[in-house]
């Protein structure tokens, strides 16, 4: 199963906890970390794929997906998707964070081709 370490995300970026804040632009928002953890835990499922597609299309202008597909996700995941989209739309996600998120989604998508 693909993990955050496999894609190098945890090696390059800090995961926020109670002691860190978004003042450091390399910290990822809690909603991103929660969505990544959900995808890692869900494995190669349709729900994981939906989350990856929504995240990818939210941080890259050339990718498209309908956020309406989030309606098929479990309630807690929908909440994290909503928080993530709010952060992206309110520009609370830096370019470096967008790059990290896109790199992770791209790594997951490429790895899913082997499944």
């Amino acid at each position: 199963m693909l993990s955050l370490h496999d894609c190098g995300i945890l090696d390059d970026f800090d995961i926020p906890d109670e002691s860190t804040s978004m003042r450091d632009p390399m910290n990822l928002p809690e909603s991103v970390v929660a969505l990544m953890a959900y995808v890692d835990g869900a494995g190669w499922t349709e729900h994981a794929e939906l989350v990856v597609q929504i995240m990818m299309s939210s941080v890259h202008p050339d990718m498209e997906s309908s956020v309406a597909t989030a309606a098929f996700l479990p309630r807690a995941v929908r909440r994290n998707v909503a928080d993530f989209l709010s952060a992206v739309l309110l520009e609370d996600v830096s370019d470096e964070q967008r790059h990290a998120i896109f790199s992770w989604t791209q790594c997951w998508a490429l790895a899913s081709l082997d499944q």
Side-chain angles (χ1 to χ4, degrees):
M1 179 183 308
L2 186 67
S3 72
L4 297 173
H5 289 287
D6 294 336
C7 287
I9 296 300
L10 291 182
D11 298 332
D12 298 332
F13 301 96
D14 294 330
I15 302 300
D17 59 22
E18 285 99 34
S19 65
T20 60
S21 71
M22 286 305 296
R23 289 177 297 191
D24 179 352
M26 300 316 286
N27 287 339
L28 295 173
E30 285 184 36
S31 59
V32 173
V33 174
L35 291 172
M36 289 176 167
Y38 172 77
V39 168
D40 278 346
W44 308 107
T45 63
E46 288 183 18
H47 284 176
E49 186 176 348
L50 289 175
V51 170
V52 169
Q53 288 174 358
I54 290 169
M55 292 176 74
M56 185 180 276
S57 66
S58 298
V59 296
H60 196 286
D62 293 336
M63 303 294 170
E64 293 182 18
S65 94
S66 173
V67 295
T69 59
F72 299 108
L73 297 170
R75 183 181 182 91
V77 179
R78 287 194 314 262
R79 181 67 192 163
N80 285 322
V81 167
D83 291 345
F84 166 69
L85 292 173
S86 293
V88 169
L89 292 172
L90 294 173
E91 297 185 20
D92 289 340
V93 178
S94 70
D95 287 341
E96 292 85 7
Q97 291 168 322
R98 288 173 190 268
H99 175 72
I101 294 164
F102 183 76
S103 294
W104 181 83
T105 59
Q106 187 177 35
C107 182
W108 191 93
L110 290 172
S112 72
L113 296 175
D114 294 334
Q115 298 304 311

